[in-house]
């Protein structure tokens, strides 16, 4: 296990970070005063604002940039839709019950947990110090694990365990059941044997309307709504393709036993794109813009099949060229996802693109690459980029009888020649009566090759016969066989769907781990170095003290910043300036403005940059303009330092 | 019934408007290809963008302007929380069943529908032409109504019906049942008598986790999450009050029979503010900013009690002064709501603030004013502004045993004098043993007045007695009675909550009705005059034709507009410019840019303003700057006309 690091490369202590995040109200367990519900969280003001800024960045990066058609579809979804999409039957996890207590475990998780515990005990028995820190939750649980004595394992067993863990996502229910029996896995709380795994559907079920006749579910993804509205979107787009729809909204997943904080929750914000594309032409017009400019780290199927996790770094142009990534559109989106994550402040060293193994993919996917981010919980899938092929549009179309297709005008029309056989009805009807239809059908089934042969025969003066079931060989006395030109000018096809799907909460949490660090020599004091555009609040206004003489300037300055559309917070508490800035580092606010005695004299204020802690001094308008320039991406704080010079007059007790 | 009008005062034809909104994909019935589910809608691209712009305006107007603490709380809510809040027992409507078919009707709606139908028939019988147009849905239903023959009613009956309709929201279940029997109301589909009304809870129920032990609901409002997280918010706000939290998110209501399009749906976006305030001091520091500047139209309780709907127009300062609106905070928010609606483009003539009647209020409200907007469906509650008193915090605190209070430091501390009586324990214990406690308790119950009297008695040399149950009169031989100074420096109280609660979907739909009109002489051609900031898309780019020579300019211009952060759409279809602008009027896009042959020569383009259809001509940068200025609120299109002059060169076929 690698140790996760902070932004500055020090070991990351998740417990300390968690404490910071809860103290500063980035998030809190939902319904906390009622004891909480696992897998449900509330975002407090900084978390909520951070989430809104990530969503805003996403909308600009994808929706606005590519003129996507954003929609907002219903979350409540009737049973029939999700039955057709396959979710009623296949959106499920395997769970095991402790028959004596009724406690329920997710089958793969319990195997994972126990095997990992045994491996750790083995390490301890071998005298290795297990450095990794654990959060309180896991510790509590660990105490209960029955087999945490320091037992040394056979080298062969270690290898076997490691193989199982590497493939833990890929086992069937039966296989999981066998692993549980073979490896003597029992309930970690009671030591009781577990019942064999059974499927548990992960959708929240409810009933729509006053009767019980309309069962429904909370959507497990935003995608289905976008598929069902396809025809209307296609029309809205003036019947042009390819095009993409997009949707930002909550989805739901009734996890069996949610763990891992914000990473595995029952209610989560997703941002999903459905790009509808011609299955015969998956080129992307903007692919050249990224082809040789963007390099990604790939973990393709072939490497995983060897049981390895070494990544290869290549440009997106190369991997599409060599076929590892199937097509330009898929490749284009992988590159755009990478650029988006970078824009948010994600550490590029902690991103990899992993291809799904065939047996691991969702039931609808033809190919899938995950953008995984490295966190203290391991590599976490944060963005999925799946080729759903024509699966969804086809099944919904079959079920409802409504066509969900693209009609492409062929210019020039497709032209070809075909042999037609035309039996004279005036001869056929009176002669064969009720058998006439049978003969016509038999003629219709004659192949092009046979028709060509029969035509030649006829020209040569031969007679034309057709075999008809129940009638034997029938002579077609009056039949015309000729070659005609045919043409169609419309091609109809069900588009394929490339789906980049973002778990906003997972990205948000991973981002926090990536940009978290502590000032050297002051490890207890965390800093969250969000890029200014993404930071929850942009400016902290700090009067030197809570003396009333500063109030008028603070009020006027606040109003001015508000009018500039920049979010700010005032901290006029009695804590020292250093303490207030430290509080603020924890909130990740990029700029601090100090109002001091000089401000009272000449109206100037100081602007402090969070990461470097350097300051400049200027008028209110100058300072706001600096911040606006940085937020707009036109300039940097170094530009301001160059222009205004570093200000070092203030005595700060940091 | 008044006829609803368009923005320009013509009669509003809802059918035509609905057709426009569906054609332009503002919204569509959700799951349409599966036959749809009533009360569930999808927003298409223009609707989705309009919704996002309204939410953005709301966030700026309320959250940023007042430094509110925005949170994002879980939608899935455990049973206990909503049992405590009262929703499990009281969030319900009365429904009646047709016992033969099982069809279910909302009791108040069915009475309303049938009485209104009878009144209309009466009018027809009296020879009046019933002008009001009806949408297709209602027409279909109307055909089925059994009693729509033109029957004349007694004047007395008419009056009775009108009284019932005016109070239809205020009846109990029993009263509704009586009305159904007394007025012979039967199923409009079958004519069968209806079963007496029973309560139907309007929350969607589900089960959280893999067992059935944790029932939960989809939240019926965002408010509860904000109450439960109160302590953490209070702490986040550095223990300062008053403060407000805010939340934007979906809520759910399992309507018995949804009607009225977007106005009564099962899943809806809400924006709610919970302003926590001292019950003894509901002043608001920013009230003076609105007191005499904002006039509203009020429909207070007193007027409604007389059966009238005439409004009174007064400043918010006046009505708070005279007590009609209870306090400054409530008044301040009513004024801010009014200003917000105005900013969106709501017609101020079609807004009124109606006070709830006592029996009509939600179970938690102490007082409530609704901002109602006039639409073709009548006056619709779009914003509620309720004083929820300390109800919610109190019930949750009682249930969980967790204090949800504000602790106010009293400066100076509250000081008062009190008579203490101190019985010498060394005398009491040995003498009375197990009865000592009884005597102490009896002493503790002696009132301040009696203590003062006893002190005087003691000073005068008298003996002090106390009556003790079971012991009779006991002489206190060793007791000190003296007056002492007391003080407390913390006051603890449960804050009251003022809650402005916005139904975003209802506001969105009402806004569309308010800003919809048609060009004179071209009634079929609708225009949606959204204010530029609110409009779904800001600019339509229209090349003169779809000739490829225009493509490079269109592409470059698109990129430039995108970089300026302005949303745009290109229409390079082969339709005439006039037709393309007409399409665009229907989407409410405020600006059109035409790229013509002159653009190819000198790079200039024309900018057309939607409402006045006037144009100016300038360089790309000039034109983008004009739009940016208008969107930022710094200038108007008239300024641009003054600066650049009106451009009339183009021949447009409108």
């Amino acid at each position: 296990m690698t140790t996760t690091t902070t932004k500055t490369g020090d070991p990351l202590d998740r417990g300390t970070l968690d404490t910071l995040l809860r103290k500063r109200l980035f998030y809190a367990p939902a319904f906390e005063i009622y004891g909480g519900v696992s897998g449900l969280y509330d975002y407090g003001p900084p978390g909520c604002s951070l989430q809104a800024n990530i969503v805003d960045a996403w909308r600009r990066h994808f929706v606005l940039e590519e003129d996507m058609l954003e929609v907002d579809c219903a979350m409540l979804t009737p049973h029939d839709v999700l039955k057709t999409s396959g979710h009623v039957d296949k959106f499920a996890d395997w769970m095991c019950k402790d028959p004596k207590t009724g406690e329920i475990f997710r089958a793969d998780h319990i195997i994972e947990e126990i095997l990992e515990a045994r491996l750790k005990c083995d390490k301890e028995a071998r005298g290795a110090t297990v450095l990794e820190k654990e959060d309180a939750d896991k510790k509590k649980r660990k105490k209960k694990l029955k087999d945490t004595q320091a037992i040394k394992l056979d080298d062969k067993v270690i290898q076997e365990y490691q193989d199982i863990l590497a493939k833990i996502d890929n086992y069937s229910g039966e296989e999981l059941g066998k692993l549980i029996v073979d490896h003597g896995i029992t309930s970690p709380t009671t030591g009781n044997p577990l019942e064999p795994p059974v499927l548990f559907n992960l959708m929240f079920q409810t009933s729509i309307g006053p009767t019980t006749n309309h069962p429904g579910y909370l959507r497990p993804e935003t995608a289905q709504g976008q598929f069902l509205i396809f025809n209307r979107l296609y029309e809205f787009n003036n019947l042009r393709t390819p095009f993409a729809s997009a949707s930002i909204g909550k989805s739901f997943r009734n996890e069996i036993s949610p763990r891992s904080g914000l990473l595995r929750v029952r209610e989560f914000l997703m941002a999903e794109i459905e790009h509808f594309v011609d299955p015969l032409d998956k080129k992307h017009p903007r692919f050249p813009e990224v082809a040789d400019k963007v390099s990604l780290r790939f973990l393709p199927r072939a490497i995983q099949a060897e049981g390895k996790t070494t990544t290869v770094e290549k440009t997106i142009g190369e991997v599409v060229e060599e076929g590892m990534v199937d097509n330009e559109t898929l490749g284009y989106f992988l590159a755009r996802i990478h650029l988006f994550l970078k824009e948010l402040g994600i550490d590029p060293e902690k991103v990899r693109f992993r291809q799904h193994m065939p047996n691991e993919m969702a039931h609808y996917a033809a190919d899938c690459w995950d953008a995984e981010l490295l966190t203290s919980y391991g590599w976490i899938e944060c963005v999925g980029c799946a080729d759903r092929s024509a699966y969804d549009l086809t099944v919904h179309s079959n079920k409802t009888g409504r066509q969900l297709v693209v009609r492409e005008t062929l210019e020039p029309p497709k032209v070809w020649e075909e042999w037609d056989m035309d039996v004279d009805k005036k001869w056929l009807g009176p002669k064969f009566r009720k058998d006439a239809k049978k003969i016509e059908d038999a003629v219709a089934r004659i192949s092009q090759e046979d028709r060509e042969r029969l035509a030649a025969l006829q020209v040569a003066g031969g007679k034309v016969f057709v075999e008809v079931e129940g009638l034997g060989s029938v002579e077609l006395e009056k039949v015309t066989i000729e070659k005609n030109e045919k043409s169609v000018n419309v091609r109809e096809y069900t588009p394929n769907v490339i789906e980049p799907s973002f778990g906003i909460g997972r990205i948000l949490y991973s981002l926090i781990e990536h940009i978290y660090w502590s000032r050297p020599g002051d490890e207890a004091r965390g800093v969250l170095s969000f890029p200014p555009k993404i930071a929850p609040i942009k400016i902290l206004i700090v009067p030197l003290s809570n003396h009333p003489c500063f109030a008028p300037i603070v009020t006027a300055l606040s109003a001015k910043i508000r009018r500039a559309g920049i979010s700010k917070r005032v901290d006029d508490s009695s804590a020292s300036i250093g303490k207030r800035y430290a509080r603020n580092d924890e909130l990740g606010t990029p700029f601090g403005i100090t109002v001091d005695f000089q401000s009272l004299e000449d109206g100037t204020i100081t602007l402090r940059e969070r990461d470097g802690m350097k300051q400049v001094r200027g008028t209110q308008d100058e300072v706001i303009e600096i911040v606006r320039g940085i937020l707009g991406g036109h300039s940097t704080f170094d530009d301001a330092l160059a222009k205004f010079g570093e200000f070092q007059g203030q005595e700060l007790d940091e």
Side-chain angles (χ1 to χ4, degrees), chain A:
Chain A
M1 286 268 145
T2 49
T3 311
T4 327
T5 54
T6 65
K7 182 175 160 68
T8 46
D10 299 312
L12 186 143
D13 182 334
R14 195 204 299 153
T16 311
L17 175 58
D18 268 354
T19 308
L20 183 163
L21 294 176
R22 291 181 187 225
K23 188 172 66 178
R24 294 297 164 221
L25 204 46
F26 277 84
Y27 67 95
F31 317 110
E32 200 178 14
I33 65 170
Y34 277 81
V37 175
S38 58
L40 294 178
Y41 292 91
D42 293 339
Y43 285 143
C48 185
S49 173
L50 179 58
Q51 177 181 263
N53 294 343
I54 292 175
V55 165
D56 188 57
W58 190 88
R59 203 175 251 142
R60 282 173 191 280
H61 187 88
F62 292 102
V63 180
L64 278 183
E65 182 67 27
E66 320 243 2
D67 289 330
M68 292 175 178
L69 305 182
E70 190 181 339
V71 296
D72 183 15
C73 299
M75 295 177 188
L76 287 162
T77 308
H79 171 272
D80 282 2
V81 170
L82 293 161
K83 177 74 185 171
T84 306
S85 70
H87 287 88
V88 170
D89 298 321
K90 295 180 191 156
F91 188 68
D93 278 342
W94 296 97
M95 65 176 182
C96 292
K97 197 162 146 182
D98 178 337
K100 290 188 185 150
T101 64
E103 196 180 359
I104 284 168
F105 304 94
R106 195 171 136 177
D108 55 345
H109 282 184
I110 195 76
I111 295 172
E112 201 170 22
E113 185 175 344
I114 289 184
L115 298 192
E116 276 177 0
R118 289 181 190 168
L119 287 172
K120 192 167 286 172
C121 295
D122 167 75
K123 265 196 190 162
E124 278 164 14
R126 287 168 190 250
T129 328
V130 180
L131 269 172
E132 198 195 340
K133 294 211 179 185
E134 287 157 3
D135 51 299
D137 236 34
K138 215 173 169 185
K139 257 186 202 154
K140 214 187 291 164
R141 191 169 183 86
K142 210 36 117 8
K143 271 194 193 142
K144 293 187 190 164
L145 285 175
K146 295 286 169 187
D147 48 5
T148 39
Q149 304 96 313
I151 295 173
K152 213 178 138 191
L153 302 172
D154 270 6
D155 288 352
K156 218 189 86 196
V157 173
I158 292 176
Q159 188 53 51
E160 196 181 357
Y161 283 7
Q162 282 168 345
D163 287 353
I164 293 170
L165 290 172
K167 290 185 284 185
I168 193 71
D169 290 339
N170 306 340
Y171 291 107
S172 69
E174 209 174 319
E175 289 165 339
L176 290 169
K178 194 164 176 307
L179 288 173
I180 286 173
V181 173
D182 290 354
H183 296 282
I185 287 167
T186 57
S187 160
T189 7
T190 63
N192 294 332
L194 298 168
E195 287 180 358
V198 293
L199 268 183
F200 172 68
N201 191 288
L202 299 173
M203 292 194 292
F204 288 96
Q205 191 167 4
T206 190
S207 186
I208 303 173
T211 67
T212 52
N213 308 335
H214 298 99
Y217 300 93
L218 288 174
R219 65 178 177 199
E221 55 175 5
T222 71
Q224 295 304 320
Q226 298 180 61
F227 299 138
L228 298 185
I229 203 176
F230 170 78
N231 277 347
R232 284 180 170 272
L233 290 174
Y234 176 42
E235 211 176 292
F236 184 82
N237 207 44
N238 292 335
L239 306 180
R240 303 205 170 190
T241 53
F243 71 90
S245 62
S247 187
I248 303 165
K250 291 266 165 82
S251 293
F252 302 83
R253 195 180 159 114
N254 197 4
E255 294 286 349
I256 293 170
S257 50
R259 304 258 173 91
S260 314
L262 294 183
L263 296 180
R264 190 168 286 282
V265 291
R266 288 180 163 145
E267 184 180 318
F268 46 92
L269 191 65
M270 293 184 96
E272 289 191 305
I273 294 164
E274 312 297 332
H275 183 89
F276 300 97
V277 65
D278 185 343
L280 302 182
D281 177 12
K282 294 187 179 178
K283 285 205 180 312
H284 194 287
R286 297 181 70 176
F287 186 71
E289 293 179 30
V290 296
D292 55 359
K293 287 195 196 77
V294 182
S295 283
L296 310 181
R297 295 177 180 212
F298 295 96
L299 178 53
R301 254 177 223 159
I303 295 182
Q304 295 172 70
E306 294 169 17
K308 291 188 205 150
T309 57
T310 39
T311 55
V312 288
E313 187 163 345
K314 289 190 174 176
T315 67
I316 196 71
E318 285 174 282
V319 294
V320 169
E321 173 90 36
E322 69 191 38
M324 189 174 87
V325 167
D326 184 63
N327 59 72
E328 281 193 1
T329 299
L330 197 55
Y332 178 71
F333 278 115
L334 294 182
R336 294 285 298 159
I337 290 166
H338 180 83
L339 293 174
F340 171 67
L341 295 173
K342 209 170 132 192
E343 185 188 324
L344 293 185
I346 288 290
D347 183 348
E349 302 287 316
K350 294 177 180 168
V351 183
R352 71 178 185 197
F353 286 81
R354 189 178 72 80
Q355 191 172 26
H356 276 207
M357 301 303 285
N359 57 347
E360 169 198 11
M361 282 191 290
H363 62 271
Y364 47 73
D367 189 10
C368 186
W369 288 85
D370 283 344
E372 295 186 330
L373 303 181
L374 183 61
T375 72
S376 62
Y377 295 97
W379 285 98
I380 299 298
E381 170 201 344
C382 288
V383 188
C385 196
D387 183 338
R388 294 178 78 133
S389 69
Y391 177 83
D392 303 271
L393 293 180
T394 305
V395 293
H396 287 304
S397 181
N398 290 346
K399 173 72 184 174
T400 61
R402 299 280 288 266
Q403 282 205 300
L404 298 170
V405 294
V406 166
R407 283 179 194 84
E408 185 193 11
T409 306
L410 296 172
E411 283 181 50
K414 193 180 157 193
V415 177
W416 71 100
E417 291 187 321
E418 216 175 86
W419 289 97
D420 289 327
M421 281 183 77
D422 191 19
V423 183
D424 186 343
K425 288 209 169 62
K426 282 181 189 153
W427 163 80
L428 185 72
K431 181 155 187 183
F432 292 91
R433 300 183 171 262
K434 67 177 175 36
D435 286 331
K437 180 78 173 53
K438 263 189 185 172
I439 295 169
E440 278 187 322
D441 289 350
V443 170
R445 280 194 295 271
I446 297 170
S447 73
Q448 286 291 314
E449 290 73 25
D450 286 345
R451 288 176 185 205
E452 186 169 4
R453 196 178 42 74
L454 292 172
L457 184 71
Q458 200 177 43
V459 168
K463 287 178 179 173
V464 176
F465 289 88
V466 61
E467 289 297 316
V468 183
E469 210 192 314
L471 299 177
S473 201
V474 175
E475 188 192 344
L476 301 174
E477 295 166 25
K478 300 217 169 183
V479 64
T480 324
I481 310 180
E482 53 186 20
K483 203 176 196 175
N484 290 316
E485 188 169 89
K486 307 274 166 150
S487 79
V488 291
N489 52 12
V490 172
R491 173 182 158 233
E492 225 176 61
Y493 65 86
T494 305
N496 277 16
V497 174
I498 309 286
E499 178 193 76
S501 168
F502 299 71
I504 300 294
R506 289 184 171 194
I507 294 173
L508 180 149
Y509 178 77
S510 307
L511 171 64
I512 289 176
E513 277 203 3
H514 288 197
I515 51 89
Y516 167 66
W517 58 293
S518 332
R519 307 249 182 236
D522 194 357
E523 275 64 36
R525 179 176 157 186
V527 186
L528 296 177
S529 283
F530 296 109
K533 259 179 125 164
I534 304 299
I537 295 158
K538 312 306 183 195
I539 298 178
L540 177 80
I541 304 176
V542 207
L544 202 61
S545 75
N546 60 359
H547 192 282
C549 68
F550 296 117
I553 295 192
V554 169
T555 307
L557 179 62
S558 295
K560 219 171 211 174
I561 293 174
R562 194 160 59 216
R563 274 197 302 275
I566 300 170
S567 64
K568 54 98 192 60
R569 210 181 164 206
V570 176
D571 187 348
D572 55 359
S573 70
S574 56
S576 71
I577 287 217
K579 280 227 179 77
R580 283 182 277 166
Y581 275 140
R583 247 185 343 222
N584 206 52
D585 281 350
E586 295 190 339
L587 285 166
T589 310
F591 303 107
I593 287 179
T594 310
V595 176
D596 55 17
F597 289 109
Q598 194 181 329
S599 312
L600 297 179
E601 284 166 31
D602 63 9
T604 62
I605 50 180
T606 71
L607 179 71
R608 171 190 182 269
E609 193 273 334
R610 174 197 58 211
D611 297 352
M613 299 197 289
K614 289 188 176 168
Q615 290 187 299
V616 293
R617 179 153 211 128
T619 65
Q620 296 192 6
D621 289 335
E622 282 166 347
V623 163
I624 291 175
E625 206 40 49
I626 294 171
V627 174
R628 209 211 297 255
I630 297 172
L631 291 176
H634 315 308
S635 58
T636 65
F637 191 74
D638 282 340
D639 296 338
L641 281 171
K643 185 170 170 192
F644 293 90
E646 187 179 348
F647 174 71
Q648 291 178 310
Q650 251 163 38
E651 288 285 309
L652 298 183
D653 51 349
E654 331 193 43

